[in-house]
Amino acid sequence: MSETPLLDIMEALREVPSRVSMGSTGRITDMTKYHSIHGNSIIDIDSFWLDVTNSMITWRKAPTIGLKGSFGDVSNRPLSWFEDGTLNVTESCLDSNLKTRAEKTAILWEGDEPGETRRISYSELLELVCRAANALKSLGVEKGDRVIIYMGMVPEAAVAMLACARIGAVHSVVFGGFSAESLRDRVIDCDAKLVITQDEGMRGGKKIPLKEVCDEALDGDSSVKGVLVYRRTGGPVNWNPVRDVWWHDFVPLQPSECHPKECNAEDPLFILYTSGSTGKPKGLVHTCGGYITYTSYTHATVFDIREDDVYACVADVGWITGHSYIVYGPLANGATTLMFESIPTYPDAGRYWEVVARHGVTIFYTAPTAIRALAAAGDRFVSVHDRSTLRVLGTVGEPINPEAWNWYYDVVGEGRCNVVDTWWQTETGGICISPIAQATPTIGGSATLPLPGIVPQLNDSEGREITGEGEGLLCIKYPWPGQARTVWRDHSRFVSTYFGHFPGLYFTGDGCKRDKRGYLWITGRIDDVINVSGHRMGTAEFESVLVSHSAVSEAGVVGFPHPIKGSGVYAYVVTQPSEEWNQDLSEELNLLCRKRIGAHAKIDLFQHIPGLPKTRSGKVMRRILRKVAEGEMDSLGDISTLADPSVVGAIKDGAKKILYQSD
Ligand code: 7RM
C-alpha cells in the first residue's frame, strides 16, 4: 500500500493565498487598474513605495521616509530610499517564508545532465545559509567586507550570496566565464577579503576550471585572506593549505542558526561589475532596502506570481538577471525558483522544454538570443515536449525582433501564454518597462509600458523632450527604489555616466521609439545607432529584417565610416546551416530592407560569418563588429569573455577581403 506523503497532506490542508500580497496598491489585473496605479505612483512616489515595501518586505524598523535626494542633486548626495528603516534582506527571503512555506521548494536545481536535480526547501535553505554565514564569520568576514563569488550555477552560489547578506557583508558575483585577469581586476577594485569558488563548473558536458582560474587571479599579493571552495565535480585542484578551505569540511560543522545582522536600508547589499562603452567595468552598488523592495514588487507584478508556480529564469547568477530574478525577487516572494546549470542546446535544442515538461514549469524567462538559436534549430525540438504548464514567457537582455517574439509566442507558448518583454539594466536593479502578464496587451517587439513608479522620457540629442509618437534617447525622470546608488568608490563616474548627458534625468544609453498608442520599442544601445546620410537608423531594425529571411539565422549590423554618407551600413550575416551565401542572397536581403524599412535602408557591405562574437551570457560584442567594420582590426580589446573567441579570427579574415574589394 502506498502512503500519501505527509508533505502532500500538509500542502493540501494549508490555506495559501493564491498570490503574493502586495498591499493596498494591489495586483494589476487589467489596464484600468494599471493606469490608475501608475498614475498614483507618480502623484505620490513616497506613499506608493512606502506602501509597497511595508506590505511586502520584512523590516526590523519599518521606514517612514521614502525618497531623499533627486536626479538633479546626485553629485552632492547619493539618492536614498527608506533611510530610517532597518532590515536584513534574508529575513524577507528566508525567515518570513517559514510560517507558511517551510517545506515548499525554494530552490529547484537542474544540473548539467538532464534529471540531475536537487530540491531545497525554505527551511533547508535557511539552515544552509545560516551555516555558510557562520562559516564566513569564522573566516573573519564582517559587516561591510566584500566577498567575491566566482561560481557556476549551483545552489551554493545562491547560498553564498544570501550568507553574505545575512551578516551584512557585500557580495560581488563574478560570472564564471570571466578570465583570471577580469577576476583579478574585480578582486582588486572591491578590495575583497574572501573569495568563494568551486573546484569546477559544469556546462554542456564540459568542465570549467573555476578554482584554477581563481588561483591564477589571486597569484601574488592580494587582499584576499581566504578561499572557500565548494566541491562540485571532485576534479583535481591545487591546494593552498594556508588560504583554501573546503566548503564540505567547514560549512556543515557550523551552527545551524545565525542571527541576521540588522542593516540600514541604504547599506550596500552587493556590487556588480558591468561594462560601459568606455573604460574598465564599473562596480555598481545596490543597497538593501530599495533593491529588495523593487525586485520583489516587479517580480510579483510582471510575472503574475502565484503560490504554486514553478518559476524558471535560465540566466546565470553572474549577471543582474540572476541576482534579481533567480535569487532575491523570487525568494522574497516565497516562490519556487529553478536554477539551471546547463545550456539550451545540451544534450540537444529541446533541453529547455524538456526541463519545462519534467518540472512542470509555469513561468519561463530567457534571452532573445537563445530564442533565435532554438527557433533556428527547428520546431520539432519544442513540439516533442509537453509545455501545457507554461503560463508566462519572459525575455530580457536585448531587443527581441518580432519574428523571434512570434516564434516564442506561437510555437513555445502555443499562443496561450503571456509574453513579457522586460527592459531593464544592471543599473536599474529590476524591470522598468514591460508588459504585466494578464493585464497588458502585447505586440511582438515592444516592451510596451513603464511599470508603476517609472516615468520614461525620450529626448533628442540636444536634450529636447520628444512627446507623443517619436524616437529618442531613453531617459527616466524620477528615482525608483531599485536603482544603483553609485559606482563603487567612484561616485563621480556614476554621476557623469548616467546624469551627465541631461541634467536632472537618468540616461539609460538606449534608444527608444514611442508609437501612436504610447507603447515603447527599445531600439538598442545608442552607440549602435547609425546615421546614414542624415537618416538615423537602428541597427536592430536591420537585424530584425535580416533574420526574418529564411536563409538567415543571425545578423549583426554596425556603422562604418563612409566618405559620402557619413556612415555606411555593414552587415554580418550568419546563414542557416543548409544555406549557401552568394551575391543573389545579399541582393535579396537588401530588397527586403528596402521593403521593410525604407528606400534609405541599404546595406553597403555584407560579410558572411560562421557565428556572431557573443559573450557567454549571449550578448553580441558589438564593439568587435564595429572595430572590424571600421578596419581597426588590431585594437579589438579584451575578448576573453567571448563564448567562442575563434570566431574573431574568421571575422577578421573575411573582413579584410571585403574591405579590400570595396576600396
Ligand atoms: C537585464 C540586463 C542592459 C542593456 C540595456 C539594453 C539591453 C535589456 C532589453 C534590452 C531591448 C529589452 N542588464 N536590454 N533588456 N533591450 N529590450 N527587453 O540585460 O545591464 O546586462 O544590459 O540590455 O540595451 O541597456 S544589462
Side-chain angles (χ1 to χ4, degrees), residues 321 396-399 421-426 510 522 525 619:
T321 304
V396 60
E398 48 175 324
D421 172 2
T422 64
W423 177 87
W424 59 293
Q425 311 174 295
T426 306
D510 280 320
I522 313 296
R525 304 293 305 187
K619 278 209 164 49

Side-chain angles (χ1 to χ4, degrees), residues 79-370:
L79 296 160
S80 80
W81 283 91
F82 315 131
E83 68 172 30
D84 62 338
T86 66
L87 80 170
N88 184 290
V89 302
T90 67
E91 288 195 87
S92 286
C93 295
L94 302 170
D95 311 63
S96 73
N97 288 314
L98 288 205
K99 233 183 284 160
T100 59
R101 302 179 177 114
E103 305 309 321
K104 178 175 175 173
T105 301
I107 295 180
L108 171 52
W109 181 72
E110 169 78 9
D112 194 40
E113 291 303 320
E116 183 184 19
T117 61
R118 283 169 64 189
R119 280 178 180 278
I120 301 170
S121 69
Y122 271 96
S123 63
E124 288 165 340
L125 186 60
L126 174 61
E127 190 181 318
L128 272 171
V129 168
C130 286
R131 289 191 200 275
N134 286 323
L136 296 182
K137 282 205 262 186
S138 324
L139 293 169
V141 180
E142 292 169 13
K143 181 170 186 282
D145 287 345
R146 275 79 56 209
V147 173
I148 291 263
I149 300 174
Y150 184 67
M151 299 179 83
M153 285 296 287
V154 290
E156 282 68 17
V159 170
M161 292 161 77
L162 294 163
C164 290
R166 189 79 172 173
I167 62 171
V170 180
H171 60 72
S172 184
V173 184
V174 176
F175 175 59
F178 274 114
S179 63
E181 205 177 306
S182 305
L183 178 58
R184 192 205 321 267
D185 283 349
R186 288 156 174 75
V187 166
I188 293 170
D189 188 79
C190 76
D191 206 4
K193 200 177 222 181
L194 189 92
V195 175
I196 308 177
T197 188
Q198 63 191 67
D199 52 356
E200 296 173 306
M202 286 301 302
R203 275 183 100 243
K206 296 201 183 79
K207 291 180 170 167
I208 297 153
L210 294 167
K211 171 73 164 64
E212 195 184 310
V213 175
C214 188
D215 288 342
E216 198 187 326
L218 300 182
D219 196 25
D221 264 1
S222 156
S223 55
V224 172
K225 301 282 170 277
V227 178
L228 184 58
V229 187
Y230 174 71
R231 190 160 74 193
R232 163 68 180 98
T233 65
V237 287
N238 286 321
W239 204 252
N240 176 345
V242 285
R243 187 198 67 187
D244 300 343
V245 179
W246 277 116
W247 180 294
H248 62 264
D249 279 345
F250 195 61
V251 176
L253 303 181
Q254 304 296 321
S256 62
E257 280 176 28
C258 174
H259 186 71
K261 188 86 184 167
E262 187 167 345
C263 298
N264 183 269
E266 282 297 337
D267 283 342
L269 175 61
F270 65 86
I271 301 170
L272 187 59
Y273 287 85
T274 194
S275 314
S277 31
T278 55
K280 277 196 180 182
K282 299 182 278 282
L284 288 160
V285 179
H286 283 280
T287 59
C288 296
Y291 177 81
I292 198 69
T293 302
Y294 198 68
T295 52
S296 73
Y297 177 75
T298 52
H299 177 253
T301 301
V302 169
F303 297 104
D304 180 34
I305 291 296
R306 303 176 190 184
E307 191 59 50
D308 52 3
D309 272 322
V310 178
Y311 164 86
C313 168
V314 290
D316 192 286
V317 288
W319 311 116
I320 190 71
T321 304
H323 285 61
S324 301
Y325 298 113
I326 295 176
V327 180
Y328 288 108
L331 295 177
N333 289 330
T336 294
T337 181
L338 187 138
M339 275 182 94
F340 182 60
E341 187 183 33
S342 196
I343 57 171
T345 50
Y346 184 76
D348 65 38
R351 180 66 184 278
Y352 279 167
W353 326 121
E354 189 264 331
V355 167
V356 166
R358 190 152 36 79
H359 293 298
V361 170
T362 56
I363 304 174
F364 187 81
Y365 192 25
T366 188
T369 183

Side-chain angles (χ1 to χ4, degrees), residues 380-399:
R380 67 183 189 285
F381 288 105
V382 186
S383 54
V384 293
H385 302 291
D386 178 7
R387 282 121 42 239
S388 57
T389 51
L390 284 175
R391 197 177 80 245
V392 182
L393 299 171
T395 79
V396 60
E398 48 175 324

Side-chain angles (χ1 to χ4, degrees), residues 439-606:
T440 315
T442 48
I443 318 173
S446 171
T448 73
L449 297 166
L451 295 186
I454 301 295
V455 181
Q457 175 170 326
L458 304 189
N459 271 9
D460 69 14
S461 51
E462 270 82 63
R464 287 180 296 246
E465 181 171 0
I466 296 163
T467 52
E469 205 181 340
E471 180 167 0
L473 308 174
L474 178 62
C475 303
I476 302 180
K477 219 166 161 172
Y478 306 119
W480 63 98
Q483 75 181 123
R485 301 293 191 259
T486 189
V487 168
W488 179 252
R489 290 186 176 157
D490 197 351
H491 192 60
S492 67
R493 189 170 177 203
F494 179 76
V495 175
S496 63
T497 307
Y498 305 108
F499 304 93
H501 297 74
F502 307 115
L505 292 179
Y506 167 74
F507 176 51
T508 66
D510 280 320
C512 180
K513 269 196 292 211
R514 194 192 285 111
D515 69 14
K516 271 202 286 288
R517 65 194 286 187
Y519 273 23
L520 300 167
W521 302 67
I522 313 296
T523 53
R525 304 293 305 187
I526 48 131
D527 20 32
D528 300 330
V529 168
I530 324 177
N531 202 328
V532 186
S533 307
H535 297 287
R536 177 166 238 173
M537 290 187 276
T539 54
E541 286 176 76
F542 281 104
E543 289 161 5
S544 171
V545 174
L546 294 176
V547 297
S548 73
H549 190 286
S550 62
V552 176
S553 76
E554 288 201 288
V557 174
V558 295
F560 72 99
H562 189 284
I564 295 158
K565 307 179 192 180
S567 288
V569 182
Y570 193 113
Y572 296 88
V573 177
V574 184
T575 46
Q576 301 284 9
S578 55
E579 295 289 339
E580 288 282 330
W581 177 257
N582 55 43
Q583 186 67 26
D584 287 354
L585 181 53
S586 66
E587 277 162 21
E588 236 180 84
L589 292 174
N590 247 335
L591 269 175
L592 202 58
C593 289
R594 190 186 171 93
K595 188 170 146 233
R596 296 266 299 276
I597 308 173
H600 60 287
K602 181 174 172 292
I603 290 164
D604 301 276
L605 295 173
F606 279 98

